[in-house]
Amino acid sequence: MPHYPSARPARRTPLSRRTFMGLCAGTAATSWTTASGLAAGCLSPAKVRTGYDILEADHYQAVKGRKLGLIANPTSVDRHLRHIADRLHAAPGVNLKAIFGPEHGFRGSAQAGHSETKSIDPRTGIPVYDMYTLSGPKLDALLKSADIDLLVFDIQDIGARFYTYIWSMFDALAACARCGIAFMVLDRPNPITGLHPSGPTLDPAFSSFVGRVPLLLRHGMTVGELARLFNSQFVPQQAGRPAQLSIIPMTGWRRDLYLDETDLVWVPPSPNMPDVTTALAYPGTCLFEGTTLSVGRGTASPFLTLGAPGLDATRWVDSLNTANLPGCLFREHWFTPTADVAKDQLCHGLQLAITDRKSFDPLLTGVTLLQSALKISNRPIWRKCGATFDILTGSSTLRPQLSRSLSAAEITAGWQPDEAAFAQQRRPFLLY
């Protein structure tokens, strides 16, 4: 993370439990991205106020008198790392009735593919519901049982289609449209910029919780912009009408900014997303979740670390370093993942280093990594005969392309019609 100037409140306030947890999470990641973000002392970070900051500055006028539900996780904090649930609960005239946790849970304690069970938040006494993977009648029933008339979404996304928070937002939008509940998004930055929408468009036949509707793999939009797109073009298909949607946009954010070029503090949005560098690589390296290789979950550099027991990593790294991929280098790396594929097994693989993120292309890099892994692997590479990979990519097209003689550049060039069409589709919904 970049080195930030001190950003202290005007007066000293006691640290809440969540503030302390947020500070710990932010501190753990602070030193990693200084070199890849702002060079210390060279540039001033952009001063960005999130949607929540704007709501707070307006003394919560937009939510007073409503029965509030809140979709939140550890990233749902203000610039002083005070959690939105604590702030809303303490605000005069605000009635926070229910909290809903997505994948990893409201407190962020669960690993990938898991969530936290229903509980009572010990600080506020507010019920916390598990909404992960819920949609349709089950989600409708949950929202109705909470007795709310406005549902607020405030979570940091990372800009990749298969990151599930945007699909929790989509399902909640549709449920609110069906149930007559208003929906509000407190906008936050796309941490890997709002530029470069790229990759293949999801085929509706491969709709899942890592991609509900046609969207590019790297969408280049904020959650507020995505909500506008979803509500206009897809929610009516699910609910028969759009939701009553409002967005509180940011101020100070530009589409070319990475999050660590702002004065906002990075709070890891999931247990294996420690910094902006990882988020930038993720649209490409997360594709390895569909393979028999580990993505380094539980190591110091998840999604920058790839490998498997017995893999010929020397050959793999040599082939990649001669490919001259822009903005990155590779080194051999031995590691032992603590979760998921090859858990607690010694793996031989590589570590990806992003040397110039302005020229780095996560999808070109990911496709090249996959092609080279196929060539050097002495065992089947696809999980569940390729079904998992196809769901991640959103179609059955990429996997056979990787096995043919097409180059990575030819494969990614084939996505240009999708990219051009999406650039036009998203334009009316952009806020910045």
Side-chain angles (χ1 to χ4, degrees), residues 47-344:
K47 295 181 179 180
V48 174
R49 293 205 298 170
T50 67
Y52 172 73
D53 293 331
I54 303 299
L55 178 69
E56 182 184 42
D58 194 37
H59 306 289
Y60 305 102
Q61 292 301 319
V63 299
K64 283 184 175 179
R66 308 300 295 268
K67 295 184 290 185
L68 290 187
L70 173 67
I71 303 174
N73 74 356
T75 67
S76 312
V77 294
D78 67 9
R79 62 183 49 260
H80 306 301
L81 295 180
R82 298 173 299 195
H83 199 276
I84 181 176
D86 295 341
R87 303 293 290 166
L88 290 172
H89 178 68
V94 176
N95 180 17
L96 180 61
K97 297 198 64 175
I99 300 169
F100 300 89
E103 184 179 11
H104 307 293
F106 168 58
R107 297 173 187 83
S109 66
Q111 285 294 328
H114 299 278
S115 56
E116 296 166 344
T117 58
K118 182 180 177 181
S119 63
I120 298 296
D121 178 48
R123 183 169 181 82
T124 64
I126 294 170
V128 180
Y129 300 94
D130 177 14
M131 69 173 294
Y132 177 47
T133 74
L134 292 186
S135 62
K138 289 184 178 180
L139 184 54
D140 296 355
L142 179 64
L143 296 183
K144 289 176 181 177
S145 72
D147 187 29
I148 60 174
D149 60 24
L150 173 62
L151 182 57
V152 176
F153 181 94
D154 182 25
I155 288 181
Q156 178 64 60
D157 181 45
I158 67 157
R161 183 179 66 216
F162 31 56
Y163 212 59
T164 63
Y165 300 148
I166 61 173
W167 304 116
S168 286
M169 181 178 72
F170 175 84
D171 288 338
L173 259 175
C176 284
R178 290 188 295 267
C179 297
I181 297 170
F183 195 90
M184 176 182 288
V185 177
L186 307 180
D187 211 6
R188 290 183 177 270
N190 185 318
I192 59 173
T193 80
L195 305 175
H196 314 301
S198 52
T201 299
L202 180 136
D203 178 344
F206 289 83
S207 174
S208 74
F209 197 61
V210 292
R212 291 288 197 215
V213 299
L215 190 69
L216 288 190
L217 201 154
R218 180 181 180 182
H219 50 73
M221 300 177 75
T222 69
V223 287
E225 293 170 339
L226 283 170
R228 297 180 77 208
L229 171 66
F230 291 160
N231 199 47
S232 172
Q233 301 198 353
F234 301 108
V235 166
Q237 300 171 16
Q238 300 271 334
R241 60 183 177 181
Q244 181 187 334
L245 173 65
S246 59
I247 312 292
I248 298 187
M250 298 173 281
T251 61
W253 186 73
R254 305 190 313 267
R255 305 203 75 81
D256 64 326
L257 288 174
Y258 293 84
L259 191 139
D260 59 8
E261 294 173 329
T262 76
D263 63 345
L264 300 177
V265 178
W266 178 266
V267 176
S270 57
N272 286 281
M273 195 58 60
D275 48 50
V276 175
T277 299
T278 307
L280 179 57
Y282 182 82
T285 57
C286 183
L287 294 173
F288 277 84
E289 297 267 50
T291 75
T292 55
L293 278 70
S294 169
V295 296
R297 288 188 179 276
T299 69
S301 53
F303 297 106
L304 300 173
T305 297
L306 305 168
L311 191 73
D312 187 352
T314 301
R315 184 181 166 199
W316 195 18
V317 169
D318 287 347
S319 69
L320 289 164
N321 281 330
T322 58
N324 294 318
L325 287 164
C328 62
L329 292 171
F330 305 88
R331 72 174 184 90
E332 284 187 56
H333 184 41
W334 296 79
F335 64 97
T336 303
T338 61
D340 204 36
V341 174
K343 178 183 178 182
D344 298 329

Side-chain angles (χ1 to χ4, degrees), residues 284 320 325-326 328 330 352 360-370:
L320 289 164
L325 287 164
C328 62
F330 305 88
L352 162 65
F360 175 72
D361 185 333
L363 292 175
L364 175 65
T365 303
V367 169
T368 304
L369 280 161
L370 286 161

